[in-house]
Amino acid sequence: LVVMQPVPKGMSALETIQYIHELGGIAIAHHPYTPQWLDTLLNVRLSCRDLVKILPFDAIECINAVPGSGKRYNMQAIDTMRNEHINIAITGGSDAHIAELVGKGRTYYAGNEGVLSLRNALVHGFTKGSEDYWTLSEKAMYYGRLMRSIMRNVYHRFGSIN
């Protein structure tokens, strides 16, 4: 976050975090826990998992607004922060994959100076993640498009969900 140039691909997680910090950015572990079956299916690691315990992230996304079993992975992130005494900012994100569902997850912070207020809140750990209620039709749309995307990416070996 707050990085104005591309971060090169192929670096380790630690190298990536260090590079982001060198650029003055904020390194956020996005949905650190995801289903392992999905990693296996796509043949790619989608999350950093327990690296949140040892790497110098500035924040961890603990509220990933994915309906259904996604809550389990949010709780795993929160439990890891508590059990490991990781005292950094918590964020919330939509992980929407489709425009209609952007904003289901969000990060709250104090201030009225836009990105500067967000950056300061993240640096000092004064943020809160939150998510909206999902209607049945929104869940159906989300999972329908997600499954279609996964199948397309498995077929084409893109190594991603998007």
Side-chain angles (χ1 to χ4, degrees):
L1 190 64
V2 199
V3 173
M4 304 312 275
Q5 65 188 61
V7 176
K9 293 181 180 181
M11 293 190 291
S12 70
L14 178 59
E15 291 168 336
T16 302
I17 292 168
Q18 290 170 335
Y19 187 75
I20 290 168
H21 287 159
E22 287 171 15
L23 297 175
I26 305 289
I28 301 173
H30 71 288
H31 51 72
Y33 297 99
T34 56
Q36 289 186 321
W37 65 265
L38 197 52
D39 291 359
T40 302
L41 182 66
L42 295 172
N43 196 30
V44 67
R45 190 173 184 174
L46 296 173
S47 63
C48 62
R49 299 201 183 283
D50 286 340
L51 290 177
V52 296
K53 297 177 183 179
I54 59 172
L55 295 182
F57 287 103
D58 300 302
I60 298 176
E61 182 188 52
C62 290
I63 304 297
N64 179 344
V66 173
S69 65
K71 307 276 186 270
R72 174 179 351 146
Y73 303 104
N74 290 341
M75 289 308 302
Q76 190 174 0
I78 292 167
D79 289 345
T80 296
M81 287 187 75
R82 284 186 184 141
N83 296 338
E84 300 294 323
H85 307 288
I86 301 171
N87 295 313
I88 59 177
I90 292 175
T91 66
S94 295
D95 199 24
H97 296 271
I98 51 177
E100 296 90 346
L101 301 175
V102 169
K104 285 291 184 184
R106 53 183 75 83
T107 302
Y108 288 102
Y109 58 94
N112 59 5
E113 297 178 9
V115 174
L116 181 60
S117 294
L118 174 58
R119 187 182 197 298
N120 287 334
L122 288 167
V123 166
H124 297 291
F126 297 127
T127 56
K128 180 181 179 181
S130 176
E131 65 179 297
D132 270 353
Y133 174 78
W134 288 74
T135 65
L136 185 58
S137 64
E138 287 173 331
K139 289 178 185 180
M141 179 188 347
Y142 176 84
Y143 281 112
R145 291 194 184 178
L146 180 64
M147 295 313 291
R148 213 174 351 182
S149 182
I150 289 171
M151 297 312 293
R152 183 185 69 239
N153 287 304
V154 166
Y155 178 76
H156 292 291
R157 300 189 192 286
F158 289 147
S160 173
I161 292 180
N162 298 323

